[in-house]
Amino acid sequence: MTPPRRPARPRYALKLLGALLEFNTRWVGDVAAAGLAGRFFEWLSIAHPHNNVHNMRLCRLVADAKVLPPEALAELQAVDRVLAVLAYAHENDVEPFLEPALRLCASLMNDVGPSESQKVIASLHVLLELAAGPDPDAALSAAHCLLKAAHLHPGDAAAVLATGDNVALLIELMGPRGAAGSGAAAAAAGGAGGGSGGGGGEQQEGWPQQQQPPPQLAAFQADLAPLLLLVLAAVVEARPGLLREHGAALRPAVTACLQAVGDAGLKRRWARLLAAQGG
């Protein structure tokens, strides 16, 4: 007699469904019509057995497809849930959860409404620490979350990010030597096969001639630096006194970062900010 077949494990079912919905995002509406969209967010909990990276991907696909209205996302406590998962992953070094949770957080902030997106403000220090973390993908996702929070709630974000510890971390992240000391940069450098940086290529400003950043690190900095400049610009615009309070450290860091990035729009924006404060 053939034994009964075991049902497929939910983890693999979630993985397969996520792959299908990424292949054709129009199917997300069908999944929502079947009543599953809300279930994904109900499973977004540290204590739930279905809470995994595949379920977080499904939550993000639902958020990106906008098949649930802001009221439904608020009722599901979507923002609270993802922030709780993110805090747990950060505190307990559950690295596989970090980047999916950050991407979901960024997606939710687009559509949940101001009262819900404002909840992210309480987690800005965590996001800033993750921007300096060992995973470049998570670091960039954290920077995107910081930027969205600064744009949606500039005054509240400025009040948090303008504190001494957070300003110091922003300055460290913007400088090439600071980035080299951060976890994300160290991981990128390690993946490049050491810090000797042999080979050709144009020397990057701020790096000793004999110790140029490896390509992975240079690419990471090129992606992260504009985001940090935009975050800091939003903070300074909401709190102009920040340049007076921390100008001795901020101005050189911003100037060096702008030179490395070379973005004309960012340079014009920062030129106005620095000129307004006598820079």
Side-chain angles (χ1 to χ4, degrees):
M1 180 177 178
T2 304
R5 296 179 62 185
R6 293 183 178 181
R9 292 184 178 181
R11 178 184 181 88
Y12 299 127
L14 293 171
K15 181 178 181 180
L16 177 59
L17 182 57
L20 289 171
L21 296 185
E22 282 197 334
F23 174 74
N24 189 342
T25 55
R26 289 177 295 180
W27 292 339
V28 178
D30 298 327
V31 169
L36 290 175
R39 299 292 297 276
F40 300 148
F41 283 99
E42 291 173 3
W43 298 340
L44 186 64
S45 168
I46 294 300
H48 201 284
H50 297 346
N51 180 51
N52 52 53
V53 295
H54 308 302
N55 185 62
M56 278 190 273
R57 176 171 63 167
L58 289 167
C59 289
R60 176 175 54 81
L61 288 166
V62 168
D64 288 343
K66 307 183 191 307
V67 294
L68 292 178
E71 297 79 11
L73 291 170
E75 186 175 349
L76 289 164
Q77 299 179 311
V79 173
D80 300 274
R81 289 174 180 273
V82 72
L83 290 177
V85 170
L86 185 60
Y88 176 86
H90 178 50
E91 292 168 6
N92 295 277
D93 295 323
V94 188
E95 291 187 10
F97 275 21
L98 290 175
E99 196 260 350
L102 287 163
R103 291 186 66 188
L104 173 56
C105 182
S107 294
L108 286 171
M109 289 175 70
N110 291 327
D111 301 304
V112 292
S115 62
E116 289 294 302
S117 62
Q118 192 175 31
K119 294 177 178 179
V120 177
I121 297 298
S123 299
L124 288 186
H125 184 70
V126 170
L127 294 174
L128 193 55
E129 288 184 343
L130 289 171
D135 182 348
D137 291 332
L140 291 174
S141 295
H144 278 289
C145 288
L146 284 168
L147 182 56
K148 288 192 176 187
H151 281 168
L152 291 171
H153 306 283
D156 294 331
V160 175
L161 295 177
T163 61
D165 290 345
N166 288 336
V167 170
L169 188 50
L170 274 169
I171 292 171
E172 179 185 351
L173 283 171
M174 284 193 299
R177 290 181 180 82
S182 73
S196 60
E202 184 178 348
Q203 179 175 347
Q204 289 199 11
E205 186 168 351
W207 285 84
Q209 189 169 2
Q210 301 301 321
Q211 192 178 359
Q212 287 299 292
Q216 288 92 330
L217 175 53
F220 167 73
Q221 287 178 270
D223 289 337
L224 185 64
L227 296 174
L228 295 175
L229 284 168
L230 288 168
V231 169
L232 189 55
V235 171
V236 170
E237 286 167 350
R239 196 180 182 113
L242 187 67
L243 281 175
R244 291 191 297 271
E245 298 165 15
H246 301 279
L250 268 178
R251 291 175 186 275
V254 168
T255 301
C257 199
L258 284 170
Q259 290 175 346
V261 170
D263 184 278
L266 272 173
K267 287 184 176 181
R268 287 193 297 269
R269 185 175 180 181
W270 270 104
R272 290 193 297 268
L273 291 172
L274 293 171
Q277 296 298 318

